[in-house]
Amino acid sequence: MMRLYKMELYKLCHRKIFVIGAICVIGIQLISFWSYVTDELATVDGIRYTGYKAVQVNRRITEEFSGILTDEKVEKIVEKYGFPQKVEEGWNYFRDGNFLNYFVMDYLSDGYMQSWTGDYKVAQNVYPIADSDLGAVKEITEQEIILEYYQGWYTFLEVMTTGMILGSILILFGISVIFANEGQTKMMQLIFTTKEGRDKEVYAKIAAAMTVAVSVWAVIFVLDLLLCGIVFGLDGLDCYNGMVMGYLLPWPDRMIPMRSYIMEATILSFFGIVSLCATTIYVSARSRSNFHAVAIAAVYWGAPVLAAIFTDGFHGFSKILSAAPIFMVIHEVIEDIYNIWVMPLIIAILVSIICTIRAQRKYSRQQVA
């Protein structure tokens, strides 16, 4: 059994399309990550930093004010760094800010920037926390607002989504041929006559496919976490998802603690990849050619996107679409299903079990024929 497993694993991992695809996935993930690094901006004492240096500067200056956010801290931030105010053509945000004074401007001042063409206002006044959206969140949750440098988790989630979508495509092309190729090359009858027999062969193929899928997920996840941890740091787990991902409002879908949000995004992405692998295995077992297997698996993977468009998102019964593998790896979906996120998880587990069992039975029967 182990020999068959290693052989099937070798066959999957040494196909040119899989090797090239894996290199492309890692390469694009690295490029995506670096684009977030280069977008960072920090201006301190009149000196503007960009890229990696800006990340380090923002991390350093935020350490002084990290922890429970108070009106006193806000006043000190404004006193020390002022408000951003420099406008440059083509840039829809002030070009002389840093993480701290941007935060204060967004949440606790009368300043804003919509467009460099004139739809902006340099902040002049600071509002008390109690009179802001932060104060409303504090009142609802009965928890203090924590200020930390959370850009690491923002980058982690965005890059992970990109990596998982690309990884899903890699799995589609890499695994969809695992059974179909035997039918296309007329190898089923030969496999049937081997010493190990059809049952061990089928189990070895399924185990190899699942190993590849889980490995793809693990590489994307670990690489992303390491990059973000090393460059940005992983502060921000005490913040809310709304604060990290965009803007914190007193809405249930924006007040998810980041510890829970990260956990949910990680679990859903994992089982999204596993369920994609299981359904792809099943499609492959029903197909007699590689082309048909890849095409049908790709349609299954992408069809929920069209369904979501026609149903205008995840509303009512349409929330069941969140169980589709293509949506389970997109972390933003959690905001639409924050109170029922276990539902797609259960569906994915059931689909994975059922498709794996049906694939085993279907292929075994084909061999007998």
Side-chain angles (χ1 to χ4, degrees):
M1 178 66 180
M2 183 57 65
R3 186 181 66 84
L4 288 174
Y5 166 74
K6 291 181 179 179
M7 183 178 67
E8 294 296 337
L9 192 60
Y10 179 88
K11 287 164 61 177
L12 286 175
C13 295
H14 284 77
R15 295 177 66 236
K16 288 183 179 180
I17 190 171
F18 184 85
V19 174
I20 295 174
I23 294 173
C24 289
V25 169
I26 294 175
I28 295 174
Q29 188 178 11
L30 292 173
I31 293 172
S32 176
F33 170 79
W34 191 247
S35 70
Y36 287 99
V37 176
T38 56
D39 282 345
E40 191 79 358
L41 183 70
T43 300
V44 176
D45 297 329
I47 303 175
R48 184 167 69 182
Y49 304 92
T50 59
Y52 177 74
K53 184 62 177 178
V55 172
Q56 303 308 304
V57 170
N58 279 330
R59 289 181 65 180
R60 175 175 55 79
I61 65 175
T62 305
E63 288 179 1
E64 179 183 352
F65 299 94
S66 62
I68 297 174
L69 184 67
T70 63
D71 290 325
E72 290 74 16
K73 282 187 178 181
V74 172
E75 292 289 347
K76 288 181 180 179
I77 290 172
V78 175
E79 181 182 347
K80 189 169 186 177
Y81 300 110
F83 285 114
Q85 55 186 328
K86 185 175 182 180
V87 179
E88 292 184 5
E89 182 177 351
W91 299 91
N92 290 328
Y93 57 87
F94 294 109
R95 298 285 291 162
D96 59 343
N98 56 52
F99 177 80
L100 290 174
N101 59 13
Y102 264 121
F103 180 88
V104 174
M105 183 191 74
D106 288 341
Y107 286 101
L108 300 165
S109 82
D110 56 352
Y112 63 88
M113 162 68 91
Q114 299 295 333
S115 172
W116 64 272
T117 57
D119 189 10
Y120 66 87
K121 179 183 178 181
V122 176
Q124 301 293 329
N125 302 301
V126 178
Y127 303 139
I129 295 175
D131 297 336
S132 68
D133 288 325
L134 298 180
V137 171
K138 181 179 176 180
E139 183 177 353
I140 292 172
T141 61
E142 298 182 348
Q143 299 290 330
E144 297 289 347
I145 301 297
I146 304 299
L147 176 63
E148 293 179 329
Y149 181 69
Y150 45 69
Q151 285 299 103
W153 287 118
Y154 172 80
T155 303
F156 169 79
L157 289 167
E158 294 297 304
V159 173
M160 186 173 75
T161 293
T162 300
M164 291 300 174
I165 290 176
L166 295 172
S168 297
I169 296 174
L170 178 63
I171 289 171
L172 284 174
F173 281 92
I175 293 178
S176 58
V177 302
I178 191 165
F179 288 125
N181 191 57
E182 308 299 354
Q184 179 170 298
T185 58
K186 310 299 182 183
M187 290 292 292
M188 285 194 294
Q189 292 300 326
L190 179 60
I191 293 173
F192 175 72
T193 61
T194 60
K195 179 181 178 180
E196 289 81 1
R198 67 180 184 274
D199 289 335
K200 289 184 178 180
E201 178 71 19
V202 172
Y203 294 140
K205 286 180 178 293
I206 293 174
M210 284 294 179
T211 299
V212 169
V214 171
S215 297
V216 168
W217 177 89
V219 169
I220 294 171
F221 177 84
V222 173
L223 177 61
D224 187 15
L225 188 63
L226 284 175
L227 289 172
C228 293
I230 292 171
V231 176
F232 289 94
L234 298 178
D235 291 336
L237 287 176
D238 294 319
C239 301
Y240 294 102
N241 68 306
M243 185 186 296
V244 175
M245 301 312 304
Y247 189 85
L248 179 59
L249 290 166
W251 301 346
D253 57 314
R254 295 294 181 90
M255 298 188 298
I256 305 172
M258 277 305 293
R259 294 180 188 276
S260 299
Y261 192 85
I262 294 294
M263 178 196 70
E264 293 169 16
T266 301
I267 293 174
L268 289 177
S269 68
F270 176 80
F271 283 98
I273 292 294
V274 170
S275 64
L276 174 63
C277 176
T279 52
T280 302
I281 290 172
Y282 176 60
V283 169
S284 183
R286 294 185 63 89
S287 304
R288 292 301 183 96
S289 74
N290 294 341
F291 174 78
H292 288 156
V294 174
I296 295 172
V299 169
Y300 160 78
W301 181 67
V305 176
L306 293 177
I309 292 174
F310 288 123
T311 57
D312 193 27
F314 304 103
H315 303 292
F317 185 74
S318 297
K319 289 183 182 290
I320 197 172
L321 290 173
S322 61
I326 193 172
F327 291 130
M328 291 185 73
V329 300
I330 301 176
H331 71 86
E332 289 96 336
V333 172
I334 295 174
E335 294 185 8
D336 294 301
I337 59 169
Y338 66 93
N339 57 340
I340 57 167
W341 73 273
V342 176
M343 180 267 293
L345 175 61
I346 294 174
I347 293 176
I349 293 174
L350 292 176
V351 167
S352 300
I353 294 173
I354 293 171
C355 286
T356 301
I357 294 174
R358 288 181 63 85
Q360 185 272 330
R361 291 179 178 177
K362 181 66 179 178
Y363 191 69
S364 296
R365 291 169 184 170
Q366 284 183 345
Q367 287 183 311
V368 172

